[in-house]
Every structure is written in structure tokens, then in C-alpha cells.
Amino acid sequence: MTTVNCHSPDWDCEAPNTCPPKSQPSCLSVLLLPPRLIAAALYSAGDVIKTTFDGGYADSCPICHECHPKDKACCDIPETACPSPYVCQIHWTGCPGDTLHYQIQVTNTSKIKREFNLTPVAFPCTEETISVTPNKKTLMPDESLQATASFKIPNTFGGGNYRTKIKVAGAYEQYILVCLTVPAQQHCCCVIEQGEIPTHIKAHHWFHHFQCEEPCFEPVRKESER
């Protein structure tokens, strides 16, 4: 027994990989022949008749040439998905005391003028918010708003990841996701230890038969010595 692949690229139907074997025409197939001849206006009449008497239409719809479960529609109605409300992502990394900046551009692509508002949401469990300047403007068609988002990391932020968003409201709301990573306090501090000026030994050529020692750095001169 051989099986055939019944998936057709011309139809967006869900179909199994194989079809059941062909059989003799059933009573149902013969009774349904007249309406299937009507369907032949869209498909070849000879193809419809041949498929009917070959038993290929016993469990499938009049037009689709695929085999699929009885609980599935022959061809689903096309659908479109809504776009994500999150249109941009800002990724910041810094230590407490750092001031971070990011540029934002909003363009009015509608055919009427519209007011746009950029409203930052406070970081969770804090009252700290990002500053957006300017945060409001009425835009004519194809006009753009140039804004700057800035944030000075407070000393209370340390050793963690922080998330918030900026609302962009025109005809509807969209969001800019802000991801801030702040290292642990010890990673934001540079520790320097300094004693006497270190020295190194410098070898002369073999015929000198001696070595010399010299400082690695020049000493810092006081203002009165300059």
C-alpha cells in the first residue's frame, strides 16, 4: 500500500502527512455528486467527477484537495495579529551617581494633527522616575518630536536589575521598556594603594658587566618646586 502527501501549497489548511487509501465510491459520494458538479465552476468538472468516484471526497470538503480531521474546518479564515505595544528597549548599565541619556523620536504618521505625551513610570518600589524632555508636543502629519530621556542613578540603587517603562500616548498607548543594570557597590569602587616609588633593574650590554637600578615613575613635584 502506498501513501501520498495531500498537503497543497495553494491552500492554507492544516492537514496530516498522509491520506487514507482510496476506496470505492460510497453512497454518500454518489448522492453528493450534483452539488459537487456545481463546485466544478471553480475547479475542473472532470477532476471533481474523477475524485468523487475514486473515493477521495468521502471525508473532505468539495473544493479542498487535502485530507484533514472531521473536526477541523476545510480552510480557516485568515487572521492578523496585533503588534506588540512595546516598540523600543533602552538598556542602561551604570553605577550610583552616573547620569545616563537616551534619544527618543516620535513621528505622527496619521493624516491629522495629534498631541503626543511621553510619561515615565516610576521604578517599582521607588519614587525614582526617568526625566523626559520635552515630554509633550502637538505634531502635524509627518512631524516628529525629538526628546531626551535621562536618569541619574541614586545611591539606593545597587546590585540589581531594574525595569520600568515610558508611556507614549497619541491615538493609543505604546511603551518604551527601560532595563537598568546596576553592579554591586564594591564593583563601582576603584581601590588604590600607593607606597614608595617602585624601581626596576635594567641590564646594560654584556660589555658593561654591570646593572643599574632606576625608578619606574617620576616623583610628583610640589607646586613650589615647579
Side-chain angles (χ1 to χ4, degrees):
M1 180 181 69
T2 60
T3 58
V4 295
N5 187 349
C6 67
H7 177 69
S8 171
D10 297 330
W11 292 88
D12 201 12
C13 302
E14 295 182 2
N17 292 328
T18 58
C19 298
K22 294 181 179 180
S23 61
Q24 295 301 319
S26 65
C27 295
L28 177 62
S29 297
V30 176
L31 290 175
L32 293 178
L33 180 58
R36 284 170 184 156
L37 289 175
I38 298 176
L42 300 177
Y43 262 76
S44 168
D47 185 46
V48 172
I49 296 172
K50 180 179 182 299
T51 306
T52 299
F53 280 91
D54 284 344
Y57 274 129
D59 294 318
S60 62
C61 62
I63 297 178
C64 291
H65 283 236
E66 290 80 15
C67 305
H68 29 162
K70 294 181 180 180
D71 59 340
K72 295 290 185 180
C74 176
C75 293
D76 293 333
I77 299 175
E79 295 182 354
T80 59
C82 292
S84 171
Y86 291 92
V87 290
C88 296
Q89 288 191 7
I90 299 175
H91 293 274
W92 277 334
T93 300
C95 293
D98 291 348
T99 301
L100 308 170
H101 301 278
Y102 205 90
Q103 302 301 314
I104 300 173
Q105 176 176 306
V106 180
T107 302
N108 179 18
T109 58
S110 66
K111 297 181 180 180
I112 62 173
K113 69 176 182 179
R114 179 168 285 128
E115 181 180 272
F116 285 82
N117 292 272
L118 283 72
T119 307
V121 177
F123 284 94
C125 302
T126 74
E127 296 182 356
E128 304 291 343
T129 58
I130 297 170
S131 174
V132 179
T133 306
N135 62 355
K136 179 189 299 185
K137 187 176 181 181
T138 299
L139 300 178
M140 300 299 292
D142 296 326
E143 188 179 7
S144 297
L145 163 64
Q146 305 286 345
T148 301
S150 59
F151 182 67
K152 183 176 181 179
I153 304 176
N155 293 329
T156 55
F157 281 30
N161 297 317
Y162 301 86
R163 300 289 183 268
T164 188
K165 58 188 177 182
I166 302 173
K167 293 182 182 180
V168 181
Y172 56 98
E173 284 190 355
Q174 292 177 296
Y175 303 95
I176 301 172
L177 180 63
V178 180
C179 307
L180 172 63
T181 301
V182 181
Q185 292 287 354
Q186 62 267 27
H187 296 154
C188 291
C189 178
C190 177
V191 178
I192 300 172
E193 297 179 352
Q194 186 182 112
E196 299 300 326
I197 299 177
T199 60
H200 72 109
I201 296 175
K202 181 179 179 181
H204 282 233
H205 294 291
W206 63 269
F207 50 82
H208 289 151
H209 300 290
F210 67 89
Q211 299 171 324
C212 66
E213 184 177 347
E214 61 183 10
C216 295
F217 306 104
E218 292 291 332
V220 177
R221 296 182 180 181
K222 298 180 181 180
E223 289 291 337
S224 58
E225 297 176 355
R226 293 180 182 176

